[in-house]
Amino acid sequence: MAATHAPLTKQTLFHDGFLEDPYPTYRKFLEAGRIHKLDWGDRNLWTIFCYDDCLAALKDQRLSARRMAAVLASLPEEERAQFSELQHVMGLWLLFMDAPEHSRLRKLMNKGFSPAAIELLRPQVEAIVDRMLNLMGNTSEVDLMPAIAHPLPVSVIAELLGIPDTMQTQLTEWSDAIATFIGNPMRTVQQTAAAQEAITSLTSCFRQIVAERRLHKRDDLISLLLEIEADGETLTEDELYAQCVMLLFGGHETTRNLIGNGIYSLLCNPRESARLLDDPDLIRSGVEEMLRFDSPIQYLNRVAKEEVEICGMRIQPGNPVVIMLGAANRDPNRFRDPDTLDLGRLNNPHLAFGGGPHFCIGNQLARLEGQVAILRMITRFPNMRLADRLPTRAHNFSLRGFESLPVSL
């Protein structure tokens, strides 16, 4: 069956300038057709851009989240065997599971991430942000990424998991190594090795923490996960370590990019920044708009379990499908004036946290941290502007964020 528009073959997303502003490229593909077979470095992959198709794919049970084998397929075949531990541990992540295993683990973990449980963390998050802003108040220019966007999420998730403050720098380095591996389709053997080393180190770290928690429970998420029982089910040891690694990585990478991208969007749209200053209650809808406008996660992959038709094209079993969340969130058929930042935007069902059964379990925590950090920064430094030094984007195609974001206070 033919598609409505012929796919644009032998084309790539990743041209010069893409990392700075991918949205004109997304619009080109949105306007050209519903599905395209694009060059992703190692092979051509089916890629979808429009909102309705992306949401449908996220909910489609014929598309599997078990994609570690497909991720490693970008490496030379003779190199893949050395990364069996990486594939095993990440394969246990909630992110990379299908039902029924995913449903069981999600049910066990939901209690620790309920809106009520996360809201209880607000005073702690506010205190952490205030400490960081107090340090920034003594300078006229600061790079927001190392000053607050990097350390805040890792401080919060470390506190949630009961990890000592002294480990936060090391945790950030391990998280960054995993992010580099996950976020670049043209990943190298060296990047994959660094990610495996990071995951092995984190697993060892959590093995020690879990052993201590079994002897001395605390008021933290690991202790909660050790106690939770639902329908007689519990987490296995390997599952528990894997979820802790996933939560540390996910809780750090997505939130730091929300904060960096959100502040940058406000500084590039001073009318919206002034609007937030005048009406701080806009922060909740404002963070939703920042998530839509410049999504921290730009795309997700799924793998066909069986032959499936998507947008008129037949996808064969084992073939990956790339779901472009960043493009969907700028789809003019779903969002009015999609390239305009509107902090008061209503009816904003963005896909920044995915959709369907794999909707991000930590979405409430990311929202809370984004709301507190962004509002407090704007309020504390109402004259904040971009510095003369240009910001630099992180070289990561999936996890969109900044390497540096210098501002004048």
Side-chain angles (χ1 to χ4, degrees):
M1 180 182 295
T4 306
H5 300 277
L8 303 178
T9 58
K10 296 183 180 178
Q11 296 198 48
T12 180
L13 293 169
F14 308 125
H15 54 76
D16 290 343
F18 179 87
L19 283 173
E20 291 301 318
D21 186 4
Y23 299 106
T25 302
Y26 294 160
R27 179 61 60 87
K28 178 185 74 171
F29 287 108
L30 271 168
E31 293 174 348
R34 294 174 59 196
I35 186 167
H36 307 279
K37 203 166 192 178
L38 302 182
D39 178 9
W40 282 76
D42 60 316
R43 52 192 165 156
N44 289 343
L45 301 181
W46 291 110
T47 310
I48 55 179
F49 292 81
C50 81
Y51 181 93
D52 289 344
D53 293 330
C54 287
L55 181 58
L58 291 168
K59 294 180 177 180
D60 194 333
Q61 297 299 300
R62 299 170 300 173
L63 298 178
S64 174
R66 293 186 182 277
R67 53 193 185 274
M68 282 308 301
V71 169
L72 292 177
S74 61
L75 299 175
E77 187 173 358
E78 64 275 11
E79 300 283 358
R80 296 173 199 164
Q82 64 181 295
F83 301 117
S84 58
E85 181 65 12
L86 174 73
Q87 185 170 354
H88 169 69
V89 175
M90 292 186 71
L92 293 175
W93 286 15
L94 195 66
L95 284 172
F96 299 126
M97 286 186 167
D98 293 334
E101 293 86 359
H102 175 271
S103 306
R104 178 180 67 86
L105 282 178
R106 181 78 183 222
K107 185 175 182 180
L108 287 169
M109 295 175 66
N110 274 342
K111 183 178 178 181
F113 289 91
S114 68
I118 296 303
E119 187 59 31
L120 291 174
L121 295 172
R122 185 175 290 273
Q124 295 168 260
V125 174
E126 291 174 342
I128 294 171
V129 169
D130 287 340
R131 287 199 299 268
M132 293 176 178
L133 294 182
N134 288 338
L135 294 174
M136 290 167 51
N138 299 322
T139 59
S140 60
E141 183 176 309
V142 66
D143 185 342
L144 290 183
M145 299 312 291
I148 190 166
H150 275 274
L152 172 62
V154 78
S155 295
V156 173
I157 197 68
E159 188 162 326
L160 192 64
L161 292 169
I163 301 174
D165 293 345
T166 54
M167 291 192 62
Q168 289 180 14
T169 298
Q170 181 64 75
L171 295 175
T172 299
E173 293 175 1
W174 287 332
S175 178
D176 287 346
I178 300 170
T180 299
F181 164 73
I182 286 181
N184 289 295
M186 288 75 76
R187 60 188 60 85
T188 66
V189 171
Q190 292 75 19
Q191 289 168 340
T192 308
Q196 179 164 268
E197 182 178 348
I199 281 180
T200 301
S201 298
L202 280 166
T203 301
S204 178
C205 170
F206 283 117
R207 184 176 290 112
Q208 296 177 30
I209 294 173
V210 168
E212 193 275 334
R213 291 299 183 279
R214 289 194 184 281
L215 296 174
H216 307 287
K217 294 288 197 304
R218 296 188 189 176
D219 185 20
D220 60 30
L221 184 59
I222 292 177
S223 297
L224 175 65
L225 292 176
L226 288 171
E227 292 177 351
I228 286 174
E229 292 187 7
D231 298 332
E233 303 254 20
T234 58
L235 290 165
T236 68
E237 289 289 310
D238 283 350
E239 288 172 344
L240 178 58
Y241 305 146
Q243 303 327 307
C244 289
V245 174
M246 180 198 73
L247 292 171
L248 175 74
F249 163 73
H252 176 229
E253 295 297 327
T254 302
T255 307
R256 76 169 182 184
N257 292 336
L258 162 59
I259 293 169
N261 295 350
I263 288 291
Y264 180 76
S265 298
L266 286 177
L267 297 182
C268 291
N269 293 271
R271 290 180 60 181
E272 290 302 289
S273 184
R275 188 180 174 195
L276 182 57
L277 279 171
D278 290 340
D279 183 5
D281 288 342
L282 274 177
I283 190 60
R284 291 183 184 270
S285 63
V287 163
E288 299 307 307
E289 176 68 346
M290 295 170 205
L291 286 162
R292 181 201 69 82
F293 186 74
D294 201 9
S295 300
I297 301 174
Q298 290 285 297
Y299 63 81
L300 296 172
N301 291 353
R302 295 288 186 266
V303 177
K305 297 182 190 177
E306 59 192 71
E307 184 178 284
V308 57
E309 184 177 308
I310 297 178
C311 305
M313 291 294 169
R314 294 201 175 274
I315 315 297
Q316 297 304 309
N319 284 359
V321 176
V322 186
I323 304 168
M324 300 302 299
L325 306 180
N329 286 338
R330 295 281 192 109
D331 186 346
N333 290 320
R334 184 62 187 85
F335 300 99
R336 183 178 180 181
D337 299 324
D339 296 325
T340 298
L341 182 73
D342 176 7
L343 299 188
R345 186 183 293 272
L346 302 177
N347 188 23
N348 188 3
H350 61 76
L351 301 181
F353 292 118
H358 285 84
F359 187 77
C360 176
I361 194 170
N363 70 89
Q364 294 293 334
L365 182 59
R367 287 175 159 120
L368 171 62
E369 293 178 63
Q371 291 166 12
V372 172
I374 292 169
L375 181 59
R376 271 170 148 70
M377 271 192 279
I378 292 294
T379 303
R380 179 77 172 266
F381 304 110
N383 297 317
M384 182 168 53
R385 60 177 177 80
L386 293 172
D388 292 335
R389 281 189 303 131
L390 294 177
T392 56
R393 283 282 179 184
H395 192 78
N396 197 306
F397 294 100
S398 174
L399 303 171
R400 179 168 171 78
F402 286 95
E403 190 70 33
S404 69
L405 182 56
V407 298
S408 296
L409 302 177

